Amino acid sequence: MPVEYLVVAGGGGGGRATVSSGVGCSGGGAGGVRDSFTDAATLTLTIAGGPYTVTVGTGGAGGATSGGSGSVGLLSSISGVVANPGGGGSNATGTAGGDGGSGGGGVGGVAAAANGTAGAGVAGQGNAGGLGFGASATTQRSSGGGGGAGAVGGAGATGATAGVGGAGRAVFGNTYGGGGGGASGTTTGASGGAGGGGAGQIGGTTKNAGVDGTANTGGGGGAVGSGTTTFVGGNGGSGVVVIRALTSSGFACTGGTKTTVGAYDYYTFTASGTLTVTNNGNSAVTQGTMMPMFG
């Protein structure tokens, strides 16, 4: 009886703009999402016995100093299935977002041509971040959202409209890998992508830090705009590893937290640990299994 898996890496941190620059900064990219449905054509993984090392990546730190880029997250893995960490959000004029499972967004610069490029995502795991929008007027500059596992990050637009984080991907009834929202240089922050992406915020004494990505979703951190000496970019959300099997199969293992929902048993690792199979139940962790994605 085949069982299925989900591996999500840590999301990238959101960027922090330079104080009083009038330039926004971009959202962090989501951690890569690997699952046995999306990867069906490329990989088969079998587990029996063990122990197997399960690695759950933490999220990258948000930009903490004036003009600080967000940091890349950390990878997650189980027995050769590796999810790449999310790329960090960008910070400064024309700077590219970081590459990763999903890429960080690009920054809008001080000239129309300075549309900072977005970080690239990894095929099958995520998407690129959104482009920034450059302009000579500070009231027009904006930055892109981080890429999500299910969609490219939103692009910045004129009128200081920052790009939203890219949407995540639904697996096992939940959504993972939303990108972090971008921030403009003056007026707005954008929402994070569905699947744990943190919202972008505007700096200043009456505003807020970029919102952290949600723990155990791999969501990217939200950006924080200029005009502050206090607030920082949002941290990326940590990853998760889940193994799912039909309860009727007899498959059992130690490690992680076991829950039963409907006809399935779920073994969930929210932090790194060890998995040991105690009853194979004629099991293999395999890609291409035509079980429902939700349940």
Side-chain angles (χ1 to χ4, degrees):
M1 155 52 211
V3 300
E4 300 149 341
Y5 66 82
L6 166 70
V7 181
V8 181
R16 174 180 167 178
T18 304
V19 175
S20 301
S21 67
V23 177
C25 55
S26 60
V33 176
R34 301 287 303 271
D35 66 81
S36 49
F37 308 96
T38 304
D39 293 343
T42 58
L43 177 66
T44 297
L45 171 68
T46 301
I47 62 170
Y52 296 89
T53 297
V54 178
T55 300
V56 175
T58 56
T65 59
S66 177
S69 295
S71 298
V72 66
L74 296 179
L75 64 80
S76 294
S77 66
I78 178 172
S79 191
V81 178
V82 179
N84 291 47
S90 184
N91 64 343
T93 304
T95 304
D99 296 338
S102 283
V107 167
V110 297
N115 295 332
T117 57
V122 176
Q125 299 189 33
N127 290 279
L131 294 176
F133 185 89
S136 58
T138 60
T139 56
Q140 299 295 308
R141 302 170 191 157
S142 59
S143 296
V152 173
T158 187
T161 302
V164 300
R169 181 189 305 163
V171 184
F172 299 158
N174 296 303
T175 304
Y176 301 89
S184 75
T186 56
T187 58
T188 62
S191 61
Q201 301 286 335
I202 297 305
T205 57
T206 63
K207 305 300 182 180
N208 301 299
V211 176
D212 293 345
T214 304
N216 303 125
T217 67
V224 64
S226 62
T228 177
T229 59
T230 304
F231 300 115
V232 299
N235 300 321
S238 56
V240 69
V241 173
V242 183
I243 298 296
R244 180 173 94 157
L246 281 168
T247 303
S248 60
S249 71
F251 174 84
C253 66
T254 60
T257 299
K258 180 183 177 181
T259 56
T260 300
V261 179
Y264 293 95
D265 291 336
Y266 295 79
Y267 298 87
T268 302
F269 291 81
T270 57
S272 298
T274 301
L275 180 148
T276 301
V277 177
T278 57
N279 188 334
N280 282 322
N282 193 29
S283 68
V285 176
T286 184
Q287 308 204 262
T289 306
M290 299 306 294
M291 292 182 181
M293 186 172 288
F294 305 100

